[in-house]
Amino acid sequence: MKRAKGFELMKIVFITNLSTFDSKMLLTLKIMDFENKKTTPSTHFAKTTKKTEKAPPTKAPSKAPSKAPSIPPASSYGSGKVYNVRAFGANGNGVSSDSPAFLSAWAAACHSTGTATILVPAGFTYLLASPTDFSGAGCSATLVLEVDGLVVAPKSPSAWKSSGASAHWIQFTDCTRFTLQGKGIFDGSGAAFWAKGGSSRPMAIRFLRATNVQVLGITIRNSPMVHLKFNNCNGGLIKGVTISAPANTPNTDGIHFQTAVSNFEVADCKIGTGDDCVSVGTGTSSVSIHDTICGPGHGISIGSLGAGNSVACVTDISVFNIVFVGTTNGCRIKTTPGGMGAATRISYNNVTMVGAANPIYIDQFYGGGSGKSNAVQLSSISFTNIRGTTISPVPVYLSCSSTHACSQVVMSNINLVHTNSQPLASYCS
C-alpha cells in the first residue's frame, strides 16, 4: 500500500473471515420506525444545529395573492387555526390543478396571526402545477403546511413550465419558522424525465432563503431530479422523512445542500434513490446527518466540489449513526481537478455497511482532468468506527492530488468484511 504525504497513521482492520464477524451486530442495529412516526409540530428550531456525536440511543410562476381572499371563518386546530385546501376549492381528483386552491389557503393563513395550519387532508389526490411557489415574505403568522394526502406533479414534461438550473415543481421562498409536515406523499412523476435524460430536469421541492424551517415526516418520491434542495438557508431540521426513487434513476439525489446553507440537522430519515442520499455542495457549513438509513444510492457525499475551476468552501460536516444498505458508495468526498478552496472538519463516525461498495472513498480527480494543478484542499477528515460488509475488494480508496495533498486524514477502528470472504486491500495515493 502506498502512503501519501500528509496522511496520518491509519488503524484499519480488515476481517476476511465471515465467521469472525459478529453477525448479531447487524441484526441489532437500531432500525427506525418510519411508518408510525408522529408529525406534531416540533418546538425545535435550529439556532445552531451542529450536534455533538454520541453513541446512538444509541413562465411566470404562480404566486400567492397579496391579500387574503374572502373565505368562511377558519376552524380551530390545536392552539391555532386551520385552513383546509378543500374549503378553498381543491378538487383532489388528481386531474385538474389544485394550485390556485393551495395558494389561496396559503395566503389566508399567511395574513392571519399566531400559528396557522394549511391542511391538505388525506383521502384525495391533489395535482399541483409546475411551478407552484409559496412565498413567506410579509407573513404575520407562523405557518404549518400539513400534508396528509397524495400530492402529484404533472406526468408530461411538456406540462412543466419551470426550466433552467433552478427549475422546480414546488418552492418555498423567504419562509421563517415554517414547518412542512404530515403523513402524506409528494410524487414528482419523474418517469418521463428519466427516460428523456439530460441534466436540465427540474427538482421536486426547493427551499430558498429560508430561516429556521422544519420538514417532518413526509414522503417525497420519484422526482425528475433532486428531491429536496436547500439554497441560501440558515437553520433547519429534516426529521423522519422518507425519500425514494428507483436505483437506476439519474441524478435523483435525496437531499442536497448548496450555496450559503448552514446550521441544518438531518435525522431519522430513510433515503433510497439513484444518486446520493445526501449531497453537500459548496457553501455549506455546520450540518449534522445522523440516525439515517441510506440505500439504494451513492452514499452520503461531500461534493462534487470545484467543478468548472470554481472555488469551494465546506466546513463542519458531521455524519454519524448511519446504515448504508447496498449503496455504490458509503462515506464519499469528491472534488474536481482545477477547483480551488477548501473542505475541512468533516467526520464520518459509527457507520455500518450492509453489502455496500466503496465504504470509504476520497477522489480528488472526480470527472477526470488529472493534469490540472489546482485542487480543492481537503483537511481534518476522520473516519471512525466504520464496520460491516462490502462487495468491494478495495473498500478504502484515497486518491489525492499531488499538489494539494489530503492532510490530517485519520482513520480508526475500521472493521470490514467482504460479502464473499475475499481478501481486502486499501489504496492511497
Side-chain angles (χ1 to χ4, degrees):
M1 178 182 78
K2 293 188 292 182
R3 182 181 174 202
K5 181 181 179 181
F7 279 98
E8 298 287 343
L9 181 64
M10 304 173 189
K11 180 183 178 183
I12 305 175
V13 179
F14 293 125
I15 305 176
T16 58
N17 187 341
L18 274 171
S19 65
T20 65
F21 181 68
D22 184 5
S23 60
K24 293 182 180 180
M25 181 273 291
L26 293 178
L27 297 176
T28 57
L29 291 172
K30 175 186 175 185
I31 305 297
M32 288 70 73
D33 180 5
F34 297 100
E35 296 181 357
N36 300 309
K37 50 189 175 291
K38 297 181 180 179
T39 56
T40 303
S42 170
T43 57
H44 170 90
F45 285 100
K47 292 183 179 178
T48 172
T49 57
K50 183 178 179 183
K51 189 169 181 176
T52 303
E53 296 178 9
K54 59 183 180 180
T58 233
K59 288 200 174 172
S62 302
K63 294 183 179 179
S66 59
K67 296 183 179 179
S70 176
I71 59 166
S75 58
S76 63
Y77 186 77
S79 60
K81 297 179 179 180
V82 60
Y83 297 84
N84 190 323
V85 296
R86 297 275 293 165
F88 289 81
N91 294 305
N93 59 17
V95 178
S96 56
S97 175
D98 289 320
S99 291
F102 274 58
L103 292 168
S104 294
W106 176 277
C110 171
H111 292 282
S112 65
T113 57
T115 298
T117 297
I118 303 99
L119 177 63
V120 182
F124 301 92
T125 299
Y126 307 89
L127 174 66
L128 292 190
S130 168
T132 297
D133 290 351
F134 299 92
S135 175
C139 286
S140 53
T142 299
L143 297 180
V144 176
L145 178 55
E146 172 84 24
V147 178
D148 294 324
L150 172 61
V151 182
V152 297
K155 291 184 178 180
S156 172
S158 63
W160 291 62
K161 305 304 180 184
S162 181
S163 61
S166 60
H168 59 272
W169 173 30
I170 297 169
Q171 181 165 288
F172 300 95
T173 306
D174 297 318
C175 293
T176 299
R177 296 183 66 85
F178 164 63
T179 298
L180 170 61
Q181 67 174 27
K183 299 178 181 178
I185 299 170
F186 289 88
D187 192 316
S189 303
F193 286 95
W194 305 331
K196 188 178 179 180
S199 59
S200 60
R201 287 166 285 127
M203 66 196 89
I205 300 175
R206 183 191 189 203
F207 282 79
L208 177 64
R209 298 192 301 274
T211 303
N212 289 336
V213 294
Q214 297 185 118
V215 182
L216 309 175
I218 63 170
T219 294
I220 312 170
R221 69 188 186 194
N222 300 328
S223 174
M225 203 165 177
V226 176
H227 284 76
L228 181 59
K229 188 173 184 178
F230 295 85
N231 297 121
N232 299 93
C233 297
N234 180 30
L237 172 65
I238 305 158
K239 186 172 183 180
V241 171
T242 299
I243 298 176
S244 65
N248 62 346
T249 54
N251 307 114
T252 52
D253 300 58
I255 301 170
H256 182 63
F257 300 107
Q258 185 161 338
T259 311
V261 175
S262 60
N263 301 315
F264 267 76
E265 179 180 0
V266 178
D268 302 320
C269 292
K270 184 176 182 180
I271 306 172
T273 69
D275 210 298
D276 297 322
C277 292
V278 182
S279 54
V280 177
T282 187
T284 304
S285 64
S286 300
V287 172
S288 65
I289 305 161
H290 63 92
D291 296 285
T292 287
I293 298 174
C294 170
H298 295 182
I300 295 178
S301 298
I302 312 300
S304 61
L305 304 176
N309 302 327
S310 61
V311 178
C313 181
V314 171
T315 61
D316 299 300
I317 310 299
S318 177
V319 182
F320 58 100
N321 299 350
I322 303 293
V323 180
F324 292 106
V325 182
T327 52
T328 60
N329 300 280
C331 313
R332 181 167 68 156
I333 302 173
K334 48 183 179 175
T335 69
T336 301
M340 294 170 282
T344 186
R345 297 193 298 275
I346 299 166
S347 65
Y348 291 87
N349 182 36
N350 198 28
V351 175
T352 297
M353 307 289 170
V354 182
N358 302 316
I360 298 173
Y361 195 90
I362 294 179
D363 184 7
Q364 285 195 283
F365 302 98
Y366 183 78
S370 58
K372 297 182 179 180
S373 59
N374 287 332
V376 177
Q377 180 69 61
L378 302 179
S379 64
S380 299
I381 299 168
S382 65
F383 302 92
T384 308
N385 299 327
I386 314 295
R387 73 270 185 176
T389 61
T390 178
I391 62 172
S392 296
V394 183
V396 177
Y397 181 91
L398 309 178
S399 180
C400 294
S401 168
S402 60
T403 58
H404 295 75
C406 307
S407 66
Q408 298 176 316
V409 177
V410 179
M411 296 191 185
S412 177
N413 196 24
I414 311 300
N415 295 281
L416 296 165
V417 56
H418 196 279
T419 53
N420 293 329
S421 300
Q422 295 180 16
L424 301 177
S426 61
Y427 175 83
C428 303
S429 69

